[in-house]
Amino acid sequence: MLHLRPILNYGRIIRRAAYAGGRRFTSHRVNVVDELSARGLLHDTTSTSLAEVTAKKSTVYLGVDPSADSLHVGNLVALMTLLHFHLRGHQVIALVGGGTGMIGDPSGRSSERNLLSQEDLARNVDSITSQMHGFLERGVSYAAKRVSPSMKANFIPEAYLTPKVVNNSDWLGQMTMIDFLRLVGKHARVNQMIAKESVKARLESESGISFTEFAYQLLQAYDFYVLHKDHGCNIQIGGSDQWGNITAGTHLIRHLTADKAGVGAEAYGLTIPLLTTSNGEKFGKSAGNAVWLKEENTPVFDFYQFFLRVGDTDVERYLRMLTFLPDEEIAELMEWQKADPELRVAQKKLAEEVTELVHGEDGLFRARTMTQVLYGTNIEELEAEDIVKAFDGDPRLLQIKWNDIRRKHIPQVATLYKMMPSLGTARRTIESKGFYLNNKRLDDPNKKLDSVDFIKERFAILRVGKKKHLIIVTEVPLEEASFDTDG
């Protein structure tokens, strides 16, 4: 069981310490490349001069795969990298692959992707486009609350360059095969394409690689060129498995912009480590363990709990990669964590930060409320309206008039509202000490719900084991309802 109250107390102590001296949520690292490196968000760059390049305003793009209708936790490292650039005043572009998504990227995969229908792809593109806009907007709000007083004057969200979200089907869909071969294929060397890690690995596999996926790197290279030409984009960021595709783009830009002396424009690539556990396990669709950023796919409670359950060996790394907490606060959190690991102070802070970033303050509030209810932690502090808001649409929530459950035994209520399969099962569960009311074990199968069982005269929580709940909320306080104390 989670000891939420002690964790909250520890959190207040940590926050007081972390805010001392005006060093709240700020960084002494001015350059974004230095910041990314310190946070473990930098795997490799195509040039050692990238820090110098980003000392001036740059235009940076991140490509997003629309093979599902939502991004997932594995995408967060790339999204955080894009957000770091955005918050330092660079122009950021999110490219949703409506064109390349019709083919599929072979990078990091051992087999051919299933091709999506145009209808499914269009739906995914729309969903992820909305998701990208929402994430970057929330990211600015999230960061604004975490700027130290001394940095407030320099934090002007209105002055930021508006993020752009583009769809590569807008240009790839208009291009003929002849045009593509003349413009792009002419500069591609097959021996270099075969040498790319993503291609080489597939060539050595049993399934091999189709020409469709083999050509993917040229399409992504052309995307980089189009964004360079139309938007002045000079940096592409992507996962470490994207290195071959990114360098294909920097080479193509140099070729297509070369002057008579053969000198072309410089473009750069920055790769990011893939998000993994300490044992190397990846998160994502192909890994089969995706935790989605879309609430319809992964409820906010499950999202919050995912980060609350992160292992001790991973939590410090995730705090650096997935939050804006400064080095000093992370160090203090880890000191508390090592002193008393069972309190999971670092995991709770991680869960709070990432949930607010992805789902906003409202999402975090609902996740906290649900955690208190479902884990029986200080439930007497809750309000009925907050419970209703947090569990809206959840079948475990029962909003009911008092008169509809008065005179009913608890086994009757549990059976009538589908918490238990039968009256006999409910009675036997109480007799075997496995049934709880407001976190207190029941021992009388004939007990009726009474006014004293409703916290603040509004709600009561029935529980069987650890995972089966019925949350009863009356529509009006019992003192206002018609109530017969002899029931």
Side-chain angles (χ1 to χ4, degrees):
M1 182 180 296
L2 295 173
H3 302 285
L4 197 61
R5 174 55 54 186
I7 291 179
L8 286 171
N9 290 338
Y10 271 64
R12 283 194 286 269
I13 294 170
I14 291 170
R15 282 194 288 273
R16 282 200 296 272
Y19 295 170
R23 53 186 170 88
R24 178 189 182 194
F25 294 94
T26 186
S27 172
H28 61 276
R29 294 178 286 269
V30 176
N31 188 273
V32 65
V33 174
D34 294 336
E35 181 72 13
L36 296 175
S37 178
R39 288 189 172 273
L41 289 170
L42 181 61
H43 181 265
D44 207 349
T45 64
T46 58
S47 172
T48 56
S49 64
L50 190 58
E52 297 175 22
V53 172
T54 55
K56 299 177 182 179
K57 299 304 182 203
S58 299
T59 299
V60 187
Y61 107 84
L62 167 70
V64 181
D65 172 22
S67 56
D69 68 349
S70 173
L71 302 174
H72 53 77
V73 163
N75 297 121
L76 274 178
V77 285
L79 295 175
M80 288 298 290
T81 302
L82 197 68
L83 186 56
H84 276 288
F85 274 98
H86 180 48
L87 293 174
R88 282 171 168 75
H90 299 280
Q91 175 67 66
V92 298
I93 302 174
L95 182 149
V96 182
T100 45
M102 297 187 72
I103 295 173
D105 184 0
S107 300
R109 293 186 61 89
S110 59
S111 60
E112 187 93 3
R113 291 178 185 267
N114 293 323
L115 297 181
L116 296 174
S117 69
Q118 292 191 9
E119 293 76 14
D120 287 343
L121 184 63
R123 182 171 58 253
N124 293 351
V125 167
D126 288 344
S127 178
I128 289 177
T129 296
S130 175
Q131 214 170 26
M132 290 299 304
H133 281 298
F135 177 84
L136 291 169
E137 288 174 7
R138 279 191 303 276
V140 173
S141 300
Y142 167 85
K145 292 184 295 181
R146 288 156 173 80
V147 174
S148 67
S150 62
M151 293 287 289
K152 282 286 187 184
N154 298 323
F155 189 87
I156 308 173
E158 295 79 10
Y160 288 165
L161 298 171
T162 303
K164 300 177 182 180
V165 181
V166 299
N167 184 346
N168 62 9
S169 67
D170 292 343
W171 53 86
L172 293 178
Q174 307 302 316
M175 201 173 198
T176 68
M177 174 67 91
I178 298 299
D179 292 337
F180 184 77
L181 291 175
R182 283 177 61 86
L183 184 63
V184 181
K186 179 182 177 182
H187 301 286
R189 294 294 175 263
V190 174
N191 58 324
Q192 293 177 355
M193 294 175 66
I194 292 175
K196 305 290 186 185
E197 283 299 322
S198 59
V199 174
K200 189 189 300 184
R202 287 287 295 278
L203 286 173
E204 295 171 354
S205 69
E206 284 187 20
S207 59
I209 187 170
S210 69
F211 176 77
T212 300
E213 290 195 333
F214 178 63
Y216 183 95
Q217 60 181 283
L218 299 183
L219 296 175
Q220 186 168 326
Y222 184 63
D223 287 343
F224 199 175
Y225 168 72
V226 171
L227 294 181
H228 176 81
K229 176 173 63 74
D230 295 345
H231 299 276
C233 181
N234 60 330
I235 301 172
Q236 181 181 174
I237 61 178
S240 56
D241 58 354
Q242 292 290 308
W243 179 261
N245 295 345
I246 292 173
T247 55
T250 60
H251 292 157
L252 183 64
I253 288 170
R254 274 200 296 274
H255 282 298
L256 294 181
T257 60
D259 57 22
K260 292 181 180 180
V263 178
E266 281 294 330
Y268 305 89
L270 182 155
T271 58
I272 309 152
L274 301 179
L275 187 67
T276 63
T277 63
S278 57
N279 61 13
E281 183 182 8
K282 293 197 301 183
F283 298 105
K285 300 184 293 295
S286 58
N289 60 350
V291 176
W292 304 99
L293 307 191
K294 188 176 181 179
E295 188 170 355
E296 291 83 351
N297 297 9
T298 298
V300 66
F301 170 78
D302 295 333
F303 185 89
Y304 180 84
Q305 290 295 317
F306 169 79
F307 287 101
L308 209 56
R309 292 192 295 266
V310 164
D312 291 345
T313 54
D314 294 316
V315 66
E316 182 174 2
R317 183 162 50 91
Y318 290 179
L319 282 166
R320 294 190 186 283
M321 298 175 80
L322 304 179
T323 79
F324 287 132
L325 298 181
D327 299 339
E328 297 88 344
E329 183 166 358
I330 293 173
E332 289 172 21
L333 282 165
M334 296 314 299
E335 286 181 15
W336 282 110
Q337 181 74 14
K338 290 172 184 176
D340 198 342
E342 290 186 1
L343 288 176
R344 303 182 73 77
V345 176
Q347 282 89 344
K348 181 174 186 296
K349 188 64 174 175
L350 174 67
E352 290 177 346
E353 293 292 311
V354 182
T355 302
E356 181 176 346
L357 174 63
V358 173
H359 292 290
E361 288 183 330
D362 177 71
L364 175 59
F365 176 81
R366 287 184 288 117
R368 282 171 164 170
T369 301
M370 294 180 79
T371 297
Q372 280 190 261
V373 170
L374 298 179
Y375 287 95
T377 310
N378 301 308
I379 55 177
E380 68 280 353
E381 297 179 355
L382 295 169
E383 299 294 337
E385 290 75 13
D386 294 338
I387 293 175
V388 171
K389 179 180 178 182
F391 285 89
D392 182 36
D394 192 305
R396 293 170 293 189
L397 175 66
L398 173 63
Q399 290 181 264
I400 194 169
K401 294 179 180 178
W402 170 249
N403 285 339
D404 291 338
I405 55 173
R406 62 184 301 190
R407 299 190 179 93
K408 287 187 172 64
H409 297 92
I410 285 180
Q412 288 179 292
V413 174
T415 305
L416 180 63
Y417 296 104
K418 312 300 182 185
M419 182 189 185
M420 300 297 289
S422 68
L423 193 62
T425 301
R427 294 180 65 88
R428 286 192 297 273
T429 302
I430 293 175
E431 290 168 351
S432 62
K433 313 299 183 184
F435 210 119
Y436 297 81
L437 170 63
N438 298 332
N439 213 34
K440 296 177 182 177
R441 184 179 282 113
L442 293 175
D443 53 18
D444 181 6
N446 296 311
K447 176 173 172 51
K448 298 179 180 180
L449 281 174
D450 198 352
S451 61
V452 297
D453 298 320
F454 281 75
I455 298 171
K456 297 182 179 178
E457 299 188 331
R458 289 298 307 279
F459 65 91
I461 301 170
L462 300 180
R463 173 169 64 86
V464 173
K466 292 183 178 180
K467 295 186 177 181
K468 188 175 290 187
H469 296 78
L470 181 65
I471 303 153
I472 305 171
V473 179
T474 61
E475 293 185 358
V476 295
L478 298 186
E479 62 183 11
E480 299 177 18
S482 174
F483 179 68
D484 181 358
T485 54
D486 294 328

